[in-house]
Amino acid sequence: MNRNFVYLGPLACGALLIGAITASGHNGATGTVGERMMGMMMLSEQIKALAPVADVPTPSDAETVIAAAEMIAMHAGPAMTDLFPEGSIEAPSEARPEIWERWEDFSAYAERLGALGEELGVAGEDLLRRQSSDPVAAVTSPPPPPLSEWERMDFAWLMGLSAERESVVNQITTASVDVKSAAGSKQSVRPVGAIYSDIAATCSSCHASFRR
Amino acid sequence: MNRIAAILVTILVMASLGVLTLQLWPLPPQRPINEVQGDAKRGAYLARLSGCLTCHTSSGSKPLSGGAPLVSRFGSFYAPNITPDQENGIGSWSFDQFVRAVRQGISPSGEPYYPAFPYEFYATLTDQDMADLWAAIQATPPAAAPSTEHQVPFPFNVRSGIKLWRTFFEKPVTYVPNITRSAAWNRGRYLVWGPAHCAACHTPRNPVGGLPSDQALSGDPSMQDGQQSPPLTAQALTARGYTKQALIQALRTGVTPDGDAFGGSMAEVVHGSTKFLLNQHLDDMATYLLNLDDN
């Protein structure tokens, strides 16, 4: 038997396996649909990576936050909308035709995701700065919030009459500022938890409008 | 000729009798209510938990000034303006009328509400809950937006026909604590089957929209809006990767264990309701849904 043929079997099996793994990764989708489904999977991986650290990130989580932020920003905005040529809804795509009927809304979600990704990067850099400027604080657990969770809620916030309380709640949760400084000064860097929450809400709103 | 006339008269008499019967068909009497002092903030929390704000507020409009259409096989239902506006809201209602509307699904004029309004689940709300909700509504700024009429075709637009439906299909939820389970599990069950009304979407309804008899959140493959809802049994949730922490996270942020973000009506539920809840209550709901026990 020719030696080349001895390797042909395992090579063919390997090629088939790689093909199967690639196809199963995005439900058999190919071309533009496959590419964007892989992009969505990549985004969900970033969300998964952020989930355990978003609420109370420590400076040691800075690199995770920055890496996720870069990937989110890179795959949002035009990088995302370019992968939605009109009418590309063939199976297994979950896209709805409303995307092209309300293209401005769809693009706005993609842009918003990009902006949030960039903002998350800034918050990550802020964590990194704290790690290098105060290594003692970096390993100290955050102080307990001064108010109970119930006390931090108010009528106006619960009824949707004011969004201010939410920002204070998140700032306290991440222990990046105390109540007084949150109320008295405008913070330039929003906490990771608040940005993560907005990213999740943006994805949900887009899915609710444009995904089957 | 006389025979045709006799048939027509018979049909007319039968139809009149049918209408009269429906008009006179009795509805449950008002349940007694204890007078208690309401707390507006607690009421606002209950309004989030119960989905009042989600359904009665359309995007970009004032809180509780009327909701987006709830599309179903029977037509489109619009949650009305329930701000304290005298003309367009419920400013002219009494507390007793409000309680009967929410817990029993009967309007101040004695008309039954469509079960699109989940009063079957709100039947578990206590007198204190009702007083708190009432206080929250009184403290909400009135909105002059008129309510939108339901767009429901015949025969479903015959409001008195709902009385018949109620007789055969209404299943008001009752809450009896299970003393063999932990307080957290029992609170979770109360929240899931009561105010949070998860079963409204996560149980298979019968062809006329009635809830099943058993308390099993087995999902609905054919929801009223044409979508599907997944099962919320402990086994199904675990199979989808939900741990207690992951379920709390999903209800808080809308992010699932695989990093996806909820779409569909669940996105509205999370971002209009569950993200506002106390950690303890999300913990309770997860404890019940995953059938965990702290005992």
Side-chain angles (χ1 to χ4, degrees), chain B residues 1-279:
Chain B
M1 190 69 186
N2 283 345
R3 198 173 166 187
I4 293 170
I7 290 169
L8 285 173
V9 168
T10 308
I11 290 170
L12 198 66
V13 169
M14 294 292 282
S16 303
L17 276 173
V19 169
L20 197 65
T21 307
L22 285 176
Q23 288 295 332
L24 298 175
W25 199 282
L27 284 165
Q30 171 93 50
R31 279 161 46 185
I33 312 159
N34 295 315
E35 284 293 330
V36 284
Q37 187 67 35
D39 176 337
K41 181 181 160 185
R42 190 173 180 278
Y45 182 81
L46 279 162
R48 282 289 175 195
L49 168 65
S50 309
C52 308
L53 280 144
T54 316
C55 273
H56 287 274
T57 312
S58 59
S59 179
S61 62
K62 292 181 178 173
L64 303 179
S65 62
L70 194 65
V71 179
S72 79
R73 286 193 287 268
F74 307 105
S76 294
F77 298 95
Y78 292 81
N81 181 337
I82 55 166
T83 67
D85 186 80
Q86 287 287 328
E87 291 294 317
N88 300 287
I90 61 170
S92 61
W93 289 21
S94 69
F95 174 60
D96 285 11
Q97 288 173 331
F98 175 70
V99 175
R100 195 170 193 226
V102 174
R103 286 203 302 216
Q104 295 182 276
I106 300 167
S107 77
S109 61
E111 283 192 322
Y113 288 128
Y114 287 103
F117 173 52
Y119 63 88
E120 291 164 282
F121 300 94
Y122 299 155
T124 59
L125 292 170
T126 65
D127 291 351
Q128 182 64 60
D129 292 340
M130 294 312 305
D132 295 339
L133 276 169
W134 184 241
I137 284 174
Q138 300 307 308
T140 302
S147 297
T148 307
E149 290 293 319
H150 300 315
Q151 290 172 7
V152 183
F154 182 81
F156 307 115
N157 60 352
V158 179
R159 189 65 82 110
S160 51
I162 303 167
K163 293 178 181 176
L164 213 56
W165 183 94
R166 291 176 70 128
T167 303
F168 297 106
F169 301 108
E170 185 185 49
K171 290 189 177 62
V173 172
T174 51
Y175 174 69
V176 180
N178 182 340
I179 56 166
T180 67
R181 307 304 298 260
S182 68
W185 187 93
N186 273 295
R187 270 197 309 272
R189 189 172 71 150
Y190 171 75
L191 294 166
V192 164
W193 280 96
H197 63 280
C198 306
C201 290
H202 289 276
T203 55
R205 289 181 180 260
N206 66 25
V208 289
L211 292 163
S213 302
D214 61 329
Q215 285 203 345
L217 294 160
S218 53
D220 190 350
S222 177
M223 286 169 72
Q224 291 293 319
D225 63 358
Q227 302 289 311
Q228 298 179 339
S229 67
L232 299 183
T233 57
Q235 192 180 15
L237 286 169
T238 307
R240 296 206 299 276
Y242 281 101
T243 59
K244 186 177 178 183
Q245 201 50 46
L247 190 49
I248 292 170
Q249 174 92 356
L251 293 171
R252 172 76 66 209
T253 63
V255 173
T256 64
D258 60 2
D260 193 9
F262 286 135
S265 46
M266 197 58 202
E268 288 172 31
V269 170
V270 170
H271 296 286
S273 176
T274 57
K275 74 184 273 187
F276 291 85
L277 302 186
L278 292 166
N279 284 325

Side-chain angles (χ1 to χ4, degrees), chain A residues 43-45 47-48 50-52 54-55 96 149-155 157-161 166 196-198 200-205 207-209 211-212, chain B residues 40-42 44-45 47-48 53 63-64 135-136 139-141 227 249 252-264 267 271 275-280:
Chain A
L43 284 173
S44 66
E45 288 302 318
I47 300 290
K48 253 164 75 177
L50 286 168
D55 273 351
R96 281 163 46 177
E149 192 187 9
W150 176 247
E151 286 168 332
R152 278 180 270 140
M153 295 181 179
D154 66 12
F155 175 81
W157 175 67
L158 285 165
M159 290 301 286
L161 296 165
E166 185 172 26
Y196 174 78
S197 176
D198 283 355
T202 304
C203 295
S204 270
S205 300
H207 291 173
S209 300
R211 189 171 77 173
R212 288 179 210 279
Chain B
K41 181 181 160 185
R42 190 173 180 278
Y45 182 81
R48 282 289 175 195
L53 280 144
L64 303 179
T140 302
Q227 302 289 311
Q249 174 92 356
R252 172 76 66 209
T253 63
V255 173
T256 64
D258 60 2
D260 193 9
F262 286 135
H271 296 286
K275 74 184 273 187
F276 291 85
L277 302 186
L278 292 166
N279 284 325
Q280 187 201 1

